[in-house]
Amino acid sequence: MSQSGTVNFGMVGLGRMGANLVRRLARSQISSVVYDLDSAAVETLSKEGATPALNYSDFVGKIAAPRTVWVMVPATVSDETILQLSSQLSPGDTIIDGGNSNYRNDQANAELLSKKGINFVDVGTSGGIYGLERGYSLMIGGDQKVVEALTPIFQALAPGVEGAERTPGRNGVPAPSEAGYFHCGPVGAGHFVKMIHNGIEYGMMAAFAEGLGILDAAKRAEPAFDLDIAEITQVWRRGSVVASWLLDLTAEALEENPTLDGYSTSVSDSGEGRWTVQAAIESGVPAPVLSAALYSRFASRDNDDYSNKILSAMRYKFGGHTEQSKKS
């Protein structure tokens, strides 16, 4: 993506994901022009070799055409960011939305940009703060030729074939999916796949949390089992069918903080979990596990207080049952 010292690539949004994407690309000699509303974030990457920009005009002016601009901002501001950037870009340039945008918004943005001759690609990006070292799983939507032109970027960011053992039966030259990036289909397909990925993530996290919660409750049951949950996660990591990276991270958290002091009981949710459940409803596909995982996050924020008061009132009215107050 770079020729004769010119820089053809830029990153807008230098949070935990965006900044590390720039760093990982640099390891493959792909240089970046960088911009963020937080000037300190820009300065940090500038000291590491990236080219800083003061504003969108400066940012676009420092990228050689044809430009590739990766937008890595919260979904709530991605549409606005893409619109502002498009006013500065030229026909033949490409915008990549790597955040967690709604796939329907991708389709609308692609239509808007096509009128200006600007390409649009959506890339569902998974890897979190560990992606810098492990690589990123990339789920891509867009026009075939445009996506193919971006292959060097995807190869640099993905984990590579060595990121996992090859599936038995897979022979010959590994497919891009085995390297950790995959062209899922037209615009919107990448974020649609990432949306379902995150819905599944909700379910997996909830399953671990509920199971370990039952183990913790056994310490106070009759008969009681004084279980060492940290050690249980360690044994599960080795040879168990539930072994996974999420379990690895859980074991790490318990090793650092066995009592989980300081962690909140309120768990937030982002748009993808809700959109996944909505997609299940629209397609008529049962998704009880994913739906329950989303609703459990709502409950963690005490959004069920009024409902529980109604339940308590009904029990009292029909049977005289007086509920105990919550312990503070």
Side-chain angles (χ1 to χ4, degrees), residues 127-147:
I129 59 176
Y130 292 88
L132 176 59
E133 302 301 330
R134 290 168 53 99
Y136 298 89
S137 176
L138 306 173
M139 295 143 268
I140 306 161
D143 177 79
Q144 180 72 32
K145 291 184 178 179
V146 176
V147 170

Side-chain angles (χ1 to χ4, degrees), residues 74-311:
T76 53
V77 296
S78 62
D79 292 346
E80 176 186 350
T81 302
I82 289 168
L83 181 62
Q84 292 176 347
L85 274 171
S86 68
S87 68
Q88 304 285 333
L89 294 174
S90 305
D93 292 344
T94 299
I95 291 180
I96 299 172
D97 185 350
N100 285 322
S101 299
N102 190 300
Y103 71 97
R104 297 187 189 279
N105 291 4
D106 292 332
Q107 295 167 338
N109 285 328
E111 183 177 356
L112 173 68
L113 294 175
S114 68
K115 297 176 181 178
K116 302 181 179 183
I118 300 171
N119 305 311
F120 180 85
V121 173
D122 55 289
V123 180
T125 309
S126 181
I129 59 176
Y130 292 88
L132 176 59
E133 302 301 330
R134 290 168 53 99
Y136 298 89
S137 176
L138 306 173
M139 295 143 268
I140 306 161
D143 177 79
Q144 180 72 32
K145 291 184 178 179
V146 176
V147 170
E148 287 178 355
L150 300 172
T151 296
I153 291 175
F154 302 141
Q155 289 178 330
L157 292 175
V161 178
E162 62 275 14
E165 293 185 10
R166 294 197 76 182
T167 301
R170 288 262 177 165
N171 301 301
V173 178
S177 59
E178 294 179 88
Y181 67 97
F182 179 59
H183 183 202
C184 301
V187 167
H191 276 151
F192 185 83
V193 173
K194 177 58 162 49
M195 176 185 79
I196 303 304
H197 164 284
N198 282 22
I200 293 171
E201 177 185 301
Y202 277 37
M204 293 174 65
M205 293 174 71
F208 277 122
E210 291 175 11
L212 296 180
I214 296 170
L215 293 179
D216 180 68
K219 300 176 182 179
R220 299 174 293 280
E222 184 59 45
F225 294 107
D226 188 15
L227 301 172
D228 190 327
I229 296 175
E231 294 304 311
I232 291 170
T233 62
Q234 291 296 336
V235 74
W236 283 356
R237 291 181 62 216
R238 294 162 173 85
S240 165
V241 296
V242 299
S244 66
W245 187 38
L246 285 174
L247 182 60
D248 293 344
L249 297 177
T250 303
E252 183 178 320
L254 289 168
E255 182 68 22
E256 295 170 348
N257 186 352
T259 59
L260 301 178
D261 292 338
Y263 284 103
S264 172
T265 57
S266 176
V267 184
S268 63
D269 73 282
S270 53
E272 304 94 307
R274 301 184 186 211
W275 302 335
T276 298
V277 172
Q278 184 61 40
I281 293 170
E282 292 174 356
S283 59
V285 174
V289 173
L290 307 190
S291 300
L294 174 65
Y295 291 137
S296 71
R297 295 197 179 194
F298 296 166
S300 77
R301 303 196 293 273
D302 293 331
N303 289 343
D304 58 351
D305 273 5
Y306 186 78
S307 301
N308 289 331
K309 287 179 180 180
I310 292 292
L311 287 172

Side-chain angles (χ1 to χ4, degrees), residues 55-74:
N55 49 49
Y56 287 132
S57 177
D58 185 40
F59 173 78
V60 171
K62 289 179 176 177
I63 305 173
R67 306 171 183 86
T68 298
V69 177
W70 187 301
V71 175
M72 203 67 179
V73 298

